[in-house]
Amino acid sequence: RIEDHDRARCRRAFDAGLREDLEWLGFLPDGDVVRQSERDARYSEALARLAASGRVYACNCTRSQLRAETDVAPGEEPRYPGTCRDRGLPDEASSLRRVRLDAEDIPFVDLRRGACTQRPAEQCGDLLVRDRAGNWTYQFAVVVDDLDQGVDVVIRGEDLLASTGRQIQLAAMLGRTTPPRFLHHGLIRRPDGRKL
C-alpha cells in the first residue's frame, strides 16, 4: 500500500524509491499495489456512513485559530477544542470534516509495551478526517484501508503510538469488531534526540 493521501507532498519519485528500497530488503508485494490517492470514492463512502450516524460535521477552523485557542506545550499534541462541533455549518462552508469522538477509554495491548489505555477525545478532540485541500487524513485513510485489506497486525514506529486509540475507535464506528494487533518499535534517533 502506498500511503500517498496527501497529494501536495507525495510524488511518484518517492513511490519508486520506496518500492526500490523494499525490494532491496527482500519485501515483495503480495498483491496489487493500493494507492490511497486512487481511493477517493471508497473514503467518501466511509465518510457518508459515518455522516449517516450523525458523527460528521464541517469545520472551518484554521491552524492559526486553533493555536490561538489552545495552549500547547512544545512537543505536545494539540487538542481540537470542538469549536465547530455544534455550529451546524453547511457542508459547502468548508471541505474540512471532523468526526465526533466519544469520551471513552480505549484499551489495547501493544506487543512490545503491554497493556495500554488511551482516551482519544481528550488527547486530540474530534478527529480530522479530511483537510482544507480535500485530502483524506492519515488517521482516516489507514483505518479504512486496514479494514478493507484485512490487516490484522500493524507494526510501526513509537511516534504513532498516540494514534492507536483513535484508530481503534474510528474502526469500530465503521463496523470493525476486532482491532488489529499493534507493535510500536523504537526509532533510530540523532544524538540530539530528533528522529533520523
Side-chain angles (χ1 to χ4, degrees):
R1 173 167 90 204
I2 304 296
E3 295 184 352
D4 59 350
H5 55 90
D6 187 337
R7 292 167 294 214
R9 291 176 34 197
C10 295
R11 305 279 184 272
R12 284 291 174 155
F14 301 157
D15 177 334
L18 175 65
R19 293 176 70 175
E20 215 173 90
D21 290 348
L22 289 171
E23 187 176 326
W24 178 80
L25 288 165
F27 292 104
L28 300 175
D30 54 2
D32 292 335
V33 174
V34 174
R35 286 186 174 75
Q36 290 177 333
S37 60
E38 298 171 355
R39 291 179 47 80
D40 188 63
R42 175 62 182 112
Y43 301 141
S44 295
E45 177 187 309
L47 184 66
R49 183 172 178 187
L50 293 171
S53 68
R55 291 196 170 271
V56 177
Y57 61 93
C59 176
N60 64 358
C61 295
T62 64
R63 287 183 181 176
S64 57
Q65 284 175 312
L66 294 178
R67 274 194 299 274
E69 289 179 27
T70 57
D71 185 26
V72 181
E76 189 177 288
E77 179 179 21
R79 181 186 176 279
Y80 176 69
T83 308
C84 293
R85 188 177 228 227
D86 298 315
R87 286 181 64 199
L89 288 174
D91 286 348
E92 57 275 5
S94 172
S95 63
L96 198 145
R97 295 290 180 273
R98 291 190 181 274
V99 172
R100 297 173 193 270
L101 295 183
D102 295 328
E104 62 182 344
D105 289 336
I106 306 294
F108 62 93
V109 175
D110 181 89
L111 297 173
R112 179 173 167 244
R113 298 169 175 267
C116 299
T117 301
Q118 294 177 349
R119 199 168 176 86
E122 291 177 10
Q123 281 176 277
C124 64
D126 290 342
L127 194 59
L128 182 65
V129 294
R130 197 172 71 197
D131 70 16
R132 188 169 309 288
N135 292 314
W136 302 100
T137 65
Y138 165 79
Q139 301 290 344
F140 185 65
V142 297
V143 168
V144 174
D145 292 345
D146 287 353
L147 185 60
D148 289 354
Q149 294 177 312
V151 171
D152 61 358
V153 178
V154 174
I155 300 172
R156 59 190 181 188
E158 64 191 358
D159 55 331
L160 291 171
L161 179 64
S163 295
T164 309
R166 65 195 73 162
Q167 290 176 1
I168 291 171
Q169 190 175 27
L170 184 58
M173 291 178 201
L174 290 168
R176 186 162 191 162
T177 55
T178 304
R181 293 174 292 157
F182 291 88
L183 186 147
H184 292 87
H185 58 76
L187 302 176
I188 300 173
R189 297 188 178 273
R190 300 172 193 264
D192 66 2
R194 291 178 299 142
K195 60 181 183 176
L196 188 63

